[in-house]
Amino acid sequence: MEENDFVNMIVNRIRNSFKNSVRAESHEIGDIKNIMVPMSDGTRLRTIVCFPKGKGPWPVIFTRTPYPHNEPISLAKSEEYAKRGYVSIFQYCRGTGGSEGVWVPNENERRDGIDAINWLAEQEWCSSIGIYGFSYSGLTAWIIADKLPEKVKTIYLAHYSVDRYLSLYKDGLFCHDILTAWTMENSGYEINVDYIKSCLYRPHINVDEKLWGVKLPWYRDWLLNTDYQCEYWQSGVWKTLREMPKKVKVPMCIVAGWYDHHQEGTILGYDELSPEVKAHSRLVIGGWNHFMVPCIDAHETKNAKINDEIDMFQWFEKILMERKLPDAEIKAYMVGNDEWVKWDKWPIVNSGQKVFNLTGDKRESCNSYRLSYIAENKLSEIKFDYNPENPIYSHGADTLFKTMEEQGSLLQYEPGYRDDVLSFVSEPISEDMCIIGEMNVKLFVSSDCEDTSFTVKVMEVKSNGKAYNIRSSITTLAYRNNSSIRLTYEPGEVVEVNIKLLPITWNIRAGSRLRIDVSCSDFPQFAIHSNYVGNWAIQEKVKVAHQTIYCGGKYKSLIEIPIK
């Protein structure tokens, strides 16, 4: 779909949603003003203010954005709010959309956001304020949440991580499909270079100058700082952002998606709120991707969607118009049951766990090894090679963005489709198994390289034999077991690696089987590991790794599944 067609579709959806799903229009649209609001350093930011006709003061909803291509969407939303007695405002970040200054992602949002919200609170036509943000606009709201004037009564945010490191890296490997893609589209420069070619460029630290034709210091900062404990992530804007949820004083509605690339850090934002704020806040987790489109082919999803525009309007209506505090709510979409389930607390408390053991029992008829409740007494060693020049491309993934067609739970390939993918399949389960929370895959592995990567993908194999991914992830020997600093590894050493998967609520139906695929690459969801030690972005060459998975005996590789 062309971008203009997509924007028009969203505009029409907003218009129809407000027409059919909220209270009737009570006002005519008044003035729509473009105001160049001065910041504390004199830079003026373009601010579009849509008034209802009549005499204020009015409740105000406010957001900040760097995306001028979405202006028709922002304006349509503003007009619908104005028709119902709100002033609606969107402001362009520094250097974007007609705002003065130079666009540098993330750098100026705290200072500019505080200046903007204080300017707004001083306007005589403003009676109260609700802040909202989706994706990058969520950052602009989070980053000022400790400096809100009294008129700000609530915040509604969707799909933004309060811990940016979680969105960039998984155990030392960069999330290309999120940040390389975003950088190419939002650098402030025109970059007309093939995306996959860009991700494959070695050494990747030079991709900006050598392939894109422009040097981007902030992108290089992301590439070079792979340690979570390094100064870059533990200071400045990222430290401020990570500490923000504990400082919030107003009710929040936080919306996440099981297959949104910000899921982990979005939910963390709710988890870190104080008990006092949680008492009047919501957490909503749906079965959708970053654009709130259901993306689960495994099961029926007719109930998976919510209308986020109407949900947000109703949230602001209760707090800003009715002047009531909302009740606490946590609800998540249950895959497999096609229903929303409410919970008392997050993280969800589960009643126990199921353990399935990887075995060396090869079933030639189905090109897979047996996955069993019972661990083998004998030790099995399963060997395969990983060649970075022949990566496995992401198909059905948790944290994609650019290659959205591969996002979510999709029909998977048959076991044995590649020699470097090991499949382990259980017998049919006898009763429903409701996964609640974070699964953990424990592998005992060795390699002939000083560093390498291992991937896992957990699937439900339905009674018709078709397999659909539930969760997948990756680890490296250098950052094994969620280490925040780089570790060493002696080639040939057997080590335990635990790959904790993102949380999910998913009911595997009786008669289905569980399948786990083990391999070494998942590109472009994650950068390709070169099999050399050191920062991935400075590697100029690659080599083949000879890998071994150990099962049974003293090395019990397994999966731990939290259940209801």
Side-chain angles (χ1 to χ4, degrees):
M1 182 182 295
E2 295 293 329
E3 184 173 294
N4 287 342
D5 292 337
F6 176 78
V7 168
N8 289 335
M9 180 186 73
I10 299 299
V11 168
N12 289 333
R13 192 193 77 175
I14 290 171
R15 301 285 193 201
N16 291 332
S17 294
F18 273 82
K19 180 179 179 181
N20 299 324
S21 303
V22 301
R23 63 176 171 83
E25 300 172 10
S26 55
H27 295 73
E28 294 180 10
I29 298 172
D31 293 335
I32 300 177
K33 296 182 179 180
N34 275 258
I35 303 174
M36 298 300 289
V37 176
M39 301 292 101
S40 53
D41 67 349
T43 302
R44 299 180 306 161
L45 304 188
R46 180 172 170 244
T47 306
I48 296 85
V49 185
C50 186
F51 290 92
K53 185 172 288 187
K55 184 179 180 181
W58 314 97
V60 179
I61 66 163
F62 175 70
T63 193
R64 303 183 67 250
T65 176
Y67 300 133
H69 56 277
N70 286 334
E71 183 159 327
I73 297 173
S74 300
L75 191 57
K77 184 183 303 185
S78 293
E79 290 176 348
E80 293 302 327
Y81 273 90
K83 292 174 185 176
R84 291 159 180 86
Y86 293 84
V87 173
S88 182
I89 304 176
F90 57 100
Q91 180 183 76
Y92 284 110
C93 299
R94 184 175 294 236
T96 70
S99 289
E100 297 173 349
V102 177
W103 163 242
V104 180
N106 313 303
E107 186 173 289
N108 298 297
E109 307 309 352
R110 180 166 171 82
R111 177 183 59 185
D112 290 348
I114 291 172
D115 288 347
I117 199 69
N118 285 335
W119 167 84
L120 175 55
E122 292 169 358
Q123 305 308 305
E124 61 181 13
W125 40 260
C126 171
S127 61
S128 60
I129 304 169
I131 300 175
Y132 72 95
F134 176 95
S135 196
Y136 189 94
S137 294
L139 162 70
T140 70
W142 270 122
I143 203 63
I144 66 170
D146 62 332
K147 296 291 185 180
L148 302 177
E150 187 178 348
K151 284 185 178 181
V152 177
K153 304 302 180 183
T154 185
I155 305 173
Y156 187 107
L157 298 183
H159 297 178
Y160 197 83
S161 173
V162 297
D163 192 330
R164 192 57 168 156
Y165 181 87
L166 298 179
S167 300
L168 267 75
Y169 278 100
K170 180 62 176 74
D171 291 358
L173 289 180
F174 194 68
C175 299
H176 274 309
D177 213 63
I178 305 170
L179 275 308
T180 300
W182 188 89
T183 298
M184 293 177 70
E185 295 174 1
N186 298 281
S187 67
Y189 300 89
E190 189 171 343
I191 299 176
N192 294 316
V193 180
D194 182 74
Y195 162 63
I196 293 297
K197 181 180 180 180
S198 297
C199 294
L200 291 171
Y201 190 89
R202 297 191 188 100
H204 194 77
I205 190 64
N206 295 330
V207 71
D208 54 352
E209 284 191 298
K210 300 296 185 182
L211 197 60
W212 300 343
V214 58
K215 188 171 183 178
L216 301 173
W218 47 269
Y219 183 67
R220 291 182 172 222
D221 285 341
W222 296 348
L223 302 181
L224 293 175
N225 290 286
T226 56
D227 283 9
Y228 185 62
Q229 290 299 328
C230 72
E231 182 179 358
Y232 179 77
W233 298 111
Q234 300 302 321
S235 62
V237 63
W238 305 124
K239 180 176 185 289
T240 301
L241 177 65
R242 193 174 60 252
E243 295 174 348
M244 197 59 67
K246 292 183 173 66
K247 301 176 181 180
V248 174
K249 302 298 183 185
V250 299
M252 293 193 68
C253 181
I254 295 178
V255 179
W258 288 135
Y259 291 97
D260 171 52
H261 59 267
H262 281 298
Q263 184 232 93
E264 185 175 13
T266 302
I267 295 174
L268 179 64
Y270 174 84
D271 196 37
E272 294 289 306
L273 296 176
S274 69
E276 294 77 17
V277 172
K278 282 183 179 178
H280 299 289
S281 296
R282 297 172 74 215
L283 173 64
V284 179
I285 313 172
W288 50 63
N289 60 25
H290 190 63
F291 296 106
M292 305 190 91
V293 177
C295 54
I296 301 167
D297 290 355
H299 294 282
E300 180 68 58
T301 57
K302 66 180 181 180
N303 297 318
K305 188 84 174 80
I306 66 168
N307 189 317
D308 51 299
E309 297 292 350
I310 300 310
D311 190 71
M312 186 174 80
F313 178 86
Q314 291 171 343
W315 177 260
F316 286 141
E317 188 84 341
K318 177 178 285 290
I319 297 173
L320 300 182
M321 281 291 187
E322 300 174 13
R323 300 184 182 181
K324 296 178 181 178
L325 284 175
D327 295 329
E329 182 182 41
I330 301 170
K331 68 177 185 178
Y333 179 73
M334 178 69 72
V335 183
N337 290 353
D338 193 27
E339 65 180 5
W340 288 84
V341 180
K342 292 190 176 182
W343 307 92
D344 294 330
K345 63 172 61 177
W346 185 273
I348 301 166
V349 177
N350 48 65
S351 59
Q353 71 174 14
K354 292 278 189 182
V355 175
F356 290 82
N357 295 272
L358 281 64
T359 77
D361 183 8
K362 182 71 178 288
R363 295 183 286 194
E364 300 293 345
S365 61
C366 54
N367 293 309
S368 66
Y369 297 87
R370 188 166 55 88
L371 191 62
S372 174
Y373 287 119
I374 302 171
E376 288 186 317
N377 291 323
K378 68 176 182 178
L379 174 64
S380 296
E381 300 180 9
I382 308 174
K383 299 181 182 294
F384 67 103
D385 294 341
Y386 158 47
N387 182 358
E389 297 284 18
N390 184 28
I392 298 164
Y393 279 76
S394 305
H395 174 64
D398 301 355
T399 56
L400 293 177
F401 177 66
K402 174 69 172 179
T403 54
M404 191 68 70
E405 69 277 5
E406 301 294 346
Q407 177 79 336
S409 178
L410 306 179
L411 178 65
Q412 296 296 299
Y413 304 114
E414 295 290 329
Y417 78 101
R418 288 180 58 134
D419 292 339
D420 56 357
V421 180
L422 309 178
S423 295
F424 300 82
V425 183
S426 75
E427 296 299 322
I429 62 173
S430 58
E431 58 183 8
D432 285 8
M433 183 170 66
C434 193
I435 303 169
I436 302 291
E438 299 175 336
M439 295 180 282
N440 180 62
V441 179
K442 179 190 296 185
L443 299 177
F444 288 90
V445 302
S446 68
S447 176
D448 66 342
C449 298
E450 290 182 278
D451 191 17
T452 187
S453 57
F454 290 92
T455 66
V456 296
K457 181 177 284 188
V458 180
M459 301 169 232
E460 177 182 356
V461 184
K462 303 180 81 172
S463 57
N464 61 8
K466 294 182 178 181
Y468 296 86
N469 57 295
I470 301 173
R471 279 290 184 236
S472 61
S473 195
I474 198 166
T475 192
T476 62
L477 295 181
Y479 291 93
R480 60 189 180 272
N481 302 320
N482 199 35
S483 176
S484 59
I485 59 172
R486 188 178 294 275
L487 305 175
T488 59
Y489 172 76
E490 183 68 29
E493 178 187 5
V494 180
V495 295
E496 175 184 322
V497 297
N498 287 272
I499 307 176
K500 186 165 285 190
L501 307 177
L502 292 175
I504 193 78
T505 54
W506 183 300
N507 187 27
I508 298 180
R509 296 296 179 86
S512 291
R513 302 171 188 259
L514 190 69
R515 172 177 154 190
I516 301 174
D517 279 6
V518 178
S519 192
C520 294
S521 60
D522 185 353
F523 173 80
Q525 181 168 211
F526 305 107
I528 298 169
H529 202 297
S530 67
N531 294 325
Y532 283 97
V533 71
N535 184 298
W536 74 277
I538 64 175
Q539 304 298 336
E540 298 185 20
K541 57 183 180 178
V542 301
K543 62 181 175 180
V544 174
H546 305 290
Q547 320 286 55
T548 305
I549 306 295
Y550 299 83
C551 308
K554 64 178 180 179
Y555 297 129
K556 294 180 173 58
S557 294
L558 52 82
I559 180 172
E560 300 166 322
I561 303 175
I563 59 171
K564 181 178 178 181

